[in-house]
């Protein structure tokens, strides 16, 4: 069985000079090489003179209805170059950011998520007969396997440098995984990417309630987590 992971970090931040990509897949504590199992992305065309910054550039509201929102900008172009990690069901997996885009940025911004906010992790498998390496994922039935929200009114679970920035940003990447094991159970609530998220609604809840009033008021987006 082939499955794909998507992570969506809905983040509002004070830092606009540099961003990040979840380029490393972590399986049972071992960090893979950057983009070994994660689909790479292209630079935003406005910043293509600065390839690293352009690649790490976030997605914004206008991208929510684009196929770029499924796995990151033009990620399907890198699918053939992406290896598939074999994972035993029940193994702990994670995604980690790659080092900072700008050498001159303070090291506090290196190798870390510094735009904090909620994050969600989803899985989907390609339709039968379609190889993972040629699947864009935009027709996928994505089910949520993890969600990270607020610890309390002022702190997100995913939090490094807290600060308010008035536009919600999205950081999306996909990894190729082949999960093996006895399995069991069937997820029942799915989302489509693009399609599942309503930017007006998210931005309103995120900025007005989630950030400025109380982080715990941002109660999450998309389906609830499937626990197996
Ligand atoms: C995806 O992003 C690339 C790079 O910014 C852009 O050229 C392309 O038009 C976008 N695709 C869609 C469907 O918006
Ligand atoms: C690239 O970035 C510019 C500047 O922020 C933005 O206006 C444009 O919509 C982005 N392009 C895509 C395809 O997201
Ligand atoms: C994960 O790593 C631990 C420690 O190296 C090992 O004992 C365990 O068997 C591994 N689990 C899987 C599912 O690979
Ligand atoms: C940034 O982090 C990476 C990964 O931890 C490390 O290899 C690199 O040396 C760091 N860069 C700087 C300038 O400290
Ligand atoms: C929220 O949690 C953080 C970390 O545990 C703590 O430092 C902070 O004081 C808490 N804030 C409130 C308002 O309880
Ligand atoms: C998105 O959310 C806004 C604000 O809640 C609502 O007015 C609008 O109808 C929603 N759009 C869709 C397509 O559901």
């Amino acid at each position: 069985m082939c499955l794909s992971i998507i992570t969506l970090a809905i983040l509002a931040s004070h830092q606009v000079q540099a961003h990040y990509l979840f380029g490393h897949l972590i399986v049972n504590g071992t960090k893979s090489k950057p983009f070994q199992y994660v689909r790479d992305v292209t630079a935003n065309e406005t910043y293509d003179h600065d390839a690293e910054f352009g690649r790490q550039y976030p997605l914004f509201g206008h991208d929510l209805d684009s196929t770029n929102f499924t796995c990151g900008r033009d990620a399907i172009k890198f699918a053939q170059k992406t290896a598939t990690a074999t994972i035993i069901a029940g193994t702990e997996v994670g995604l980690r950011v790659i080092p900072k885009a700008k050498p001159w940025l303070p090291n506090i911004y290196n190798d870390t998520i510094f735009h904090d906010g909620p994050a969600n992790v989803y899985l989907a498998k390609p339709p039968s007969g379609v190889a993972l390496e040629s699947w864009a994922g935009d027709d996928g039935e994505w089910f949520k396997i993890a969600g990270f929200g607020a610890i309390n009114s002022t702190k997100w679970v995913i939090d490094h440098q807290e600060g308010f920035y008035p536009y919600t940003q999205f950081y999306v990447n996909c990894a190729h995984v082949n999960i093996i094991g006895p399995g069991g159970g069937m997820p029942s609530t799915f989302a489509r990417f693009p399609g599942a998220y309503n930017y007006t609604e998210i931005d309103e809840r995120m900025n007005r309630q989630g950030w400025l009033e109380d982080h715990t008021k941002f109660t999450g987006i998309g389906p609830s987590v499937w626990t197996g």
Side-chain angles (χ1 to χ4, degrees):
M1 180 168 57
C2 283
L3 294 163
S4 221
I5 293 178
I6 184 172
T7 139
L8 308 176
I10 291 91
L11 303 134
S13 170
H14 62 305
Q15 265 289 337
V16 288
Q17 283 88 351
H19 303 95
Y20 51 82
L21 289 167
F22 294 96
H24 297 283
L25 179 70
I26 300 171
V27 180
N28 198 21
T30 303
K31 189 171 82 171
S32 60
K33 285 183 276 199
F35 304 104
Q36 182 180 3
Y37 299 117
V38 173
R39 289 184 184 179
D40 208 341
V41 297
T42 56
N44 169 297
E45 63 282 352
T46 309
Y47 303 97
D48 61 3
H49 58 284
D50 185 339
E52 197 50 38
F53 179 73
R55 272 166 78 234
Q56 300 203 21
Y57 195 75
L59 300 177
F60 286 98
H62 62 264
D63 296 304
L64 256 70
D65 298 321
S66 151
T67 47
N68 282 343
F69 197 67
T70 313
C71 285
R73 267 186 304 274
D74 295 329
I76 185 62
K77 291 184 181 167
F78 300 90
Q80 298 283 343
K81 293 179 191 154
T82 307
T84 299
T86 297
I87 294 172
I88 299 164
T91 307
E92 190 169 83
V93 297
L95 288 158
R96 191 180 172 97
V97 296
I98 60 171
K100 62 186 179 181
K102 293 284 191 187
W104 47 261
L105 268 176
N107 271 345
I108 193 173
Y109 298 123
N110 190 31
D111 199 26
T112 186
I113 293 174
F114 59 90
H115 287 13
D116 51 314
N120 291 312
V121 186
Y122 294 87
L123 278 174
K125 64 176 177 179
S128 100
V130 177
L132 185 57
E133 295 76 20
S134 44
W135 187 49
D138 54 327
D139 59 347
E141 301 280 12
W142 295 91
F143 59 97
K144 193 188 280 181
I145 57 168
F148 306 93
I151 292 172
N152 59 34
S153 61
T154 58
K155 192 150 182 74
W156 301 106
V157 173
I158 294 180
D159 181 0
H160 178 65
Q161 286 284 294
E162 181 121 346
F164 180 70
Y165 180 71
Y167 299 100
T168 304
Q169 305 177 344
F170 300 83
Y171 295 89
V172 183
N173 291 101
C174 287
H176 288 192
V177 296
N178 180 21
I179 300 173
I180 55 172
M186 278 295 289
S188 54
T189 320
F190 301 96
R192 285 279 171 103
F193 296 106
Y197 291 171
N198 175 339
Y199 182 71
T200 311
E201 191 242 346
I202 289 173
D203 201 49
E204 168 75 19
R205 283 167 58 207
M206 187 68 192
N207 283 335
R208 301 269 161 75
Q209 301 179 312
W211 266 99
L212 300 180
E213 291 176 22
D214 175 350
H215 291 4
T216 63
K217 285 191 177 172
F218 188 84
T219 47
I221 49 173
S224 52
V225 172
W226 183 65
T227 53

